[in-house]
Amino acid sequence: MARQVITKLIDDLDGGEADQTVEFALDGVSYTVDLSDKNALALRDALAPFVAVGTRIGRSGGGVTRAIRGAAAAAQRNTRAENQEIREWAAANGYEISERGRIPVDVVEAFRNRDSKPAKKAAGKK
């Protein structure tokens, strides 16, 4: 007997189609939420100021550490749409990056800071 199981993610916020499951934690409690790329980006943007000034806790330890680490990672992950936007921006601004794979951190930071200061060309760039 053959069986095919299809899992469809529903955005927990607006009921539309979800693209990803996001993990985060607050006050020692871990949460997961299924979100569209748009809503996931909104959550990450909302958490970003707190993650930026928060103290990172190492990888060893109990559940609270894992929960905090999950929130920090969620705030730093890029969506597919954002990765494509970063690659297009990088190409237009003289950065040489591959079409696939991980985008270098300095390129992501330059992209995210593009409105506050001019892009800085590092060694190995055009």
Side-chain angles (χ1 to χ4, degrees):
M1 175 172 84
R3 181 187 305 192
Q4 182 178 24
V5 177
I6 299 172
T7 302
K8 182 177 180 181
L9 295 177
I10 305 298
D11 189 303
D12 293 323
L13 190 62
D14 64 18
E17 188 173 328
D19 300 302
Q20 57 188 289
T21 300
V22 178
E23 298 177 16
F24 66 98
L26 181 64
D27 296 332
V29 180
S30 297
Y31 301 89
T32 62
V33 60
D34 297 327
L35 297 171
S36 65
D37 286 340
K38 176 184 172 188
N39 287 336
L41 183 58
L43 174 60
R44 289 182 177 104
D45 286 346
L47 289 175
F50 301 98
V51 171
V53 298
T55 301
R56 182 181 172 118
I57 298 180
R59 293 187 177 263
S60 63
V64 173
T65 301
R66 283 190 300 273
I68 292 170
R69 186 175 61 243
Q76 294 174 355
R77 269 186 227 122
N78 301 335
T79 64
R80 278 188 206 165
E82 185 179 22
N83 282 341
Q84 183 60 37
E85 189 178 349
I86 292 170
R87 289 181 197 287
E88 290 171 2
W89 176 87
N93 286 278
Y95 289 89
E96 292 181 21
I97 62 172
S98 65
E99 293 180 22
R100 298 183 59 181
R102 184 175 224 151
I103 300 172
V105 173
D106 62 320
V107 175
V108 174
E109 288 175 357
F111 171 80
R112 290 188 174 155
N113 295 323
R114 68 192 181 280
D115 295 328
S116 61
K117 59 185 173 185
K120 191 184 277 187
K121 305 282 171 61
K125 310 287 185 281
K126 282 187 192 176

